[in-house]
Amino acid sequence: MAYTAKIGPSILSSDLSQLGRECERMMECGADYLHLDVMDGHFVPNLTFGHPMVECLRRCIGPDPFFDMHMMVSRPEQWVKPMAAAGANQYTFHLEATANPGNLIKEIRESGMKVGLAIKPGTTVEELAPWARQIDMALVMTVEPGFGGQKFMEDMMPKVSWLRSQFPSLDIEVDGGVGPDSIHRCAEAGANMIVSGSAVVSSDDPRSVIALLKNVVIEAIQKRSLDR
């Protein structure tokens, strides 16, 4: 069982005028990685930032924080090299956005980044399955991508459970409406990488929230290990 518990605050929920400082604050509070949401106004209706912002952040906060790029874009192939050059560590693209996932996975690897593959709530987990052994992480969206502050979709948990049963060592990430109220369901289903936006970033005590989320996931991993 190679996977570990990791908590990645979604920096889109932070004060965007102080983004570098906010990233540093999250890492100081115990974050394992940073989740950066890239939206192009096409694949999803919202618009955020691109590789120039990532390059600035990398320069500002140094080489250590792991940048997980959630690419909610209609042409993910277009941004692989620019994101790699900007300092991204993992390139998570949407299965729904490409006709040739295999080529894109290869291109991301050749650019020196880890590979994440995301699915929207309406996409079945069986559609992701053929690529699961070629990727580093599967992302199961627990809201419709594009906007923060949505309600957690508990009916996505069977996807996580199925992935964990079929691919026991795969990193499985959940993103959308995840916080102290929903973390137990995510952890029990088998998610080990937890994206949390406002529940962490807007908290009066982010350190405590990150620790709580992580401890729940660690306990679930330990229990699964004992049950095997």
Side-chain angles (χ1 to χ4, degrees):
M1 197 177 292
Y3 63 95
T4 58
K6 296 173 191 160
I7 310 302
S10 175
I11 65 163
L12 200 57
S13 301
S14 64
D15 178 355
L16 297 180
S17 71
Q18 305 286 329
L19 203 47
R21 180 67 199 108
E22 287 281 82
C23 289
E24 288 173 337
R25 182 171 72 98
M26 289 299 105
M27 298 307 294
E28 287 162 5
C29 286
D32 298 288
Y33 66 103
L34 297 171
H35 184 85
L36 287 74
D37 287 315
V38 176
M39 308 181 194
D40 65 354
H42 295 281
F43 184 72
V44 290
N46 212 350
L47 190 64
T48 58
F49 51 79
H51 58 279
M53 175 78 87
V54 177
E55 187 176 355
C56 288
L57 279 177
R58 181 57 81 200
R59 208 162 43 232
C60 173
I61 63 180
D64 290 339
F66 186 94
F67 288 177
D68 170 31
M69 308 305 306
H70 182 190
M71 303 299 296
M72 289 171 268
V73 299
S74 56
R75 290 194 292 161
E77 297 83 359
Q78 184 178 351
W79 307 110
V80 173
K81 287 187 173 71
M83 282 297 178
N89 300 102
Q90 179 164 281
Y91 194 93
T92 301
F93 69 94
H94 268 266
L95 183 60
E96 304 88 355
T98 181
N100 199 330
N103 273 8
L104 188 49
I105 290 167
K106 183 169 176 282
E107 192 179 339
I108 295 165
R109 287 229 182 279
E110 287 173 353
S111 295
M113 294 182 290
K114 287 191 163 189
V115 182
L117 182 54
I119 53 172
K120 291 181 177 184
T123 302
T124 68
V125 75
E126 287 82 3
E127 291 171 75
L128 182 148
W131 311 105
R133 297 194 195 282
Q134 297 179 38
I135 61 177
D136 297 291
M137 185 197 80
L139 165 53
V140 175
M141 290 299 298
T142 47
V143 297
E144 287 295 339
F147 293 95
Q150 296 180 65
K151 189 172 182 293
F152 173 76
M153 297 168 73
E154 189 171 356
D155 56 348
M156 294 299 110
M157 292 303 96
K159 293 183 182 182
V160 175
S161 300
W162 188 87
L163 279 172
R164 181 56 68 213
S165 68
Q166 298 298 310
F167 307 101
S169 61
L170 182 66
D171 277 327
I172 303 174
E173 184 176 66
V174 285
D175 177 13
V178 181
D181 294 340
S182 49
I183 185 61
H184 288 274
R185 283 161 284 177
C186 298
E188 286 161 14
N192 67 297
M193 292 183 69
I194 309 298
V195 176
S196 188
S198 50
V200 169
V201 179
S202 303
S203 165
D204 293 333
D205 188 1
R207 185 182 300 276
S208 294
V209 179
I210 289 172
L212 182 155
L213 298 176
K214 192 163 188 176
N215 286 336
V216 171
V217 178
I218 288 170
E219 285 172 16
I221 292 171
Q222 288 171 342
K223 181 176 185 300
R224 192 169 292 109
S225 179
L226 292 171
D227 289 348
R228 288 178 76 179

